[in-house]
Amino acid sequence: DAGVTQSPTHLIKTRGQQVTLRCSPISGHKSVSWYQQVLGQGPQFIFQYYEKEERGRGNFPDRFSARQFPNYSSELNVNALLLGDSALYLCASSLALYPGGTEAFFGQGTRLTVV
Amino acid sequence: AQSVTQLDSQVPVFEEAPVELRCNYSSSVSVYLFWYVQYPNQGLQLLLKYLSGSTLVKGINGFEAEFNKSQTSFHLRKPSVHISDTAEYFCAVSVTSYDKVIFGPGTSLSVIP
């Protein structure tokens, strides 16, 4: 069975641009979470969606948004990119209705570099 | 606010030696606890989790962890490490199933031949 897949794997953008990252969860998983991992730090929670509804939101500015589609895949959008948005963006899927209390399965991530 | 501390940013250890990676969290209430491993250029993989019950939790690849409520700790141990255990290890906590998962800053384990 395929695991969590993310695309693209690498991306270079210029400050002020917008970016869209994509994630397909494990088959049967209805929950998708997004994390930002800055180099040398642990992942930070951005969003969690379950059956197209937002179930959790981290402390990120409104420039960050996400959505989930009927097939449970998800997109993360970041507007007006800043240099500080450079990071590895991880997608995780699970069976859970809410973000905590259960195992999450992570994709390999999208490495975003803002120049 | 909830926080996770991993006291050692880097841990070098010789092959076949035991290792302990330390994790402390800030909550005084019941929590869910996790250890994840991240190999170079890959996502995170769950090693083990504590949700309730026995305080000694066994995970994959020979790792185990012990939940200590009085010391708010969840240290990860392995009796004999292999070269393939070289990776970044993250401790994580959530206070309830409704809450986000908070990750620690990570411990880089380097196994020396």
Side-chain angles (χ1 to χ4, degrees):
Chain A
D1 286 342
V4 177
T5 58
Q6 293 186 243
S7 63
T9 54
H10 295 82
L11 203 52
I12 299 175
K13 289 287 189 178
T14 304
R15 278 178 298 176
Q17 285 188 315
Q18 175 264 341
V19 68
T20 298
L21 310 181
R22 296 176 176 82
C23 172
S24 292
I26 291 171
S27 177
H29 286 190
K30 298 181 180 180
S31 171
V32 170
S33 295
W34 287 96
Y35 291 83
Q36 181 195 65
Q37 186 179 17
V38 173
L39 197 62
Q41 297 181 21
Q44 282 200 306
F45 175 77
I46 310 175
F47 289 110
Q48 190 238 353
Y49 278 78
Y50 185 88
E51 288 199 339
K52 300 189 293 178
E53 287 193 17
E54 183 182 301
R55 296 287 182 174
R57 174 185 284 256
N59 297 323
F60 280 81
D62 292 343
R63 299 184 296 107
F64 289 77
S65 64
R67 56 179 175 169
Q68 187 177 32
F69 299 99
N71 66 353
Y72 306 119
S73 67
S74 177
E75 288 182 350
L76 176 70
N77 294 283
V78 186
N79 294 322
L81 284 167
L82 303 174
L83 295 179
D85 295 330
S86 296
L88 180 68
Y89 288 84
L90 294 164
C91 174
S93 76
S94 77
L95 296 168
L97 181 61
Y98 291 100
T102 191
E103 174 182 3
F105 295 82
F106 285 81
Q108 291 193 325
T110 293
R111 173 72 63 186
L112 173 64
T113 302
V114 182
V115 296
Chain B
Q2 196 59 227
S3 67
V4 179
T5 303
Q6 293 184 245
L7 296 169
D8 306 299
S9 59
Q10 295 185 334
V11 174
V13 62
F14 286 104
E15 191 174 14
E16 297 183 5
V19 70
E20 178 180 82
L21 305 183
R22 295 180 291 172
C23 172
N24 288 86
Y25 59 95
S26 62
S27 176
S28 60
V29 298
S30 296
V31 294
Y32 302 112
L33 294 158
F34 309 84
W35 274 99
Y36 283 87
V37 61
Q38 186 175 34
Y39 298 104
N41 301 313
Q42 294 190 24
L44 280 71
Q45 179 185 9
L46 182 73
L47 280 176
L48 47 81
K49 61 187 177 187
Y50 172 79
L51 304 181
S52 65
S54 173
T55 57
L56 183 62
V57 181
K58 294 191 182 297
I60 62 171
N61 301 339
F63 284 94
E64 64 180 31
E66 186 159 16
F67 169 57
N68 188 320
K69 188 174 182 179
S70 63
Q71 297 187 3
T72 60
S73 67
F74 191 55
H75 301 332
L76 181 71
R77 301 186 183 99
K78 186 170 183 177
S80 175
V81 296
H82 301 129
I83 296 292
S84 59
D85 292 324
T86 294
E88 193 81 17
Y89 291 79
F90 294 96
C91 181
V93 62
S94 65
V95 176
T96 72
S97 61
Y98 302 102
D99 287 319
K100 63 185 178 183
V101 177
I102 306 294
F103 283 83
T107 296
S108 178
L109 174 64
S110 297
V111 180
I112 305 163

